[in-house]
C-alpha cells in the first residue's frame, strides 16, 4: 500500500463526519494499523490536509476549521512528548525548548 493508494480511499472521506478509522483502513488494505499511520504522515508531509482524531478517524479536511483542529491536536501531542522528554532529562520544558533551538 502506497500513500497514493491511501489518498485514493481518503478522497471518499471528505469532512469530519465522514472519517474512517485506522482499523477499517488497515483491514481494507490488509496491513497493520502502524502502516496506515505512517502513510498518513507521508501524506501530511506532502501537504495533503489529512485530518484525524481517535474519535473521528481519518478524513480530508473540508474546512479550514477542521484543518486547524487537527493542527491543534498534533501540537498538543508534540508538546506532551516534549514535556515527557523534559521530565526524563529532569529539566524544565522551557530549558529543553531553549536547548532544542540551540541545536538547529
Amino acid at each position: 500500500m502506497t500513500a497514493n493508494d491511501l489518498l485514493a480511499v481518503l478522497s471518499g472521506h471528505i469532512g469530519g463526519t465522514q472519517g474512517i478509522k485506522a482499523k477499517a483502513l488497515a483491514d481494507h488494505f490488509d496491513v497493520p494499523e502502524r502502516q496506515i499511520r505512517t502513510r498518513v504522515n507521508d501524506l501530511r508531509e506532502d501537504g495533503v490536509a489529512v485530518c484525524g482524531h481517535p474519535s473521528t478517524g481519518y478524513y480530508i479536511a473540508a474546512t479550514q476549521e477542521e484543518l486547524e483542529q487537527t493542527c491543534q491536536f498534533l501540537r498538543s501531542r508534540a508538546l506532551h512528548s516534549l514535556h515527557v522528554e523534559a521530565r526524563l532529562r529532569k529539566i524544565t520544558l522551557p530549558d529543553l525548548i531553549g536547548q532544542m533551538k540551540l541545536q538547529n
Side-chain angles (χ1 to χ4, degrees):
M1 178 206 54
T2 68
N4 284 335
D5 295 331
L6 179 58
L7 181 57
V9 171
L10 289 177
S11 293
H13 296 271
I14 308 295
T17 61
Q18 300 300 314
I20 181 170
K21 302 281 186 163
K23 179 165 181 12
L25 289 166
D27 290 347
H28 174 79
F29 289 110
D30 195 28
V31 298
E33 286 183 50
R34 179 71 198 129
Q35 189 171 349
I36 298 299
R37 290 189 294 275
T38 298
R39 296 295 165 255
V40 165
N41 285 333
D42 292 345
L43 289 170
R44 287 172 172 168
E45 287 180 10
D46 286 342
V48 179
V50 178
C51 295
H53 188 277
S55 65
T56 63
Y58 292 114
Y59 59 95
I60 303 295
T63 67
Q64 185 63 35
E65 182 180 338
E66 288 177 343
L67 183 60
E68 182 60 31
Q69 288 171 351
T70 293
C71 289
Q72 287 176 4
F73 174 70
L74 293 173
R75 180 182 301 250
S76 173
R77 281 191 2 204
L79 286 172
H80 174 74
S81 294
L82 288 173
H83 174 75
V84 171
E85 180 185 358
R87 296 294 302 216
L88 289 171
R89 294 182 185 278
K90 297 183 181 2
I91 60 176
T92 67
L93 183 58
D95 285 343
L96 175 68
I97 291 171
Q99 289 176 14
M100 290 175 64
K101 287 181 182 176
L102 293 175
Q103 292 176 1
N104 287 334

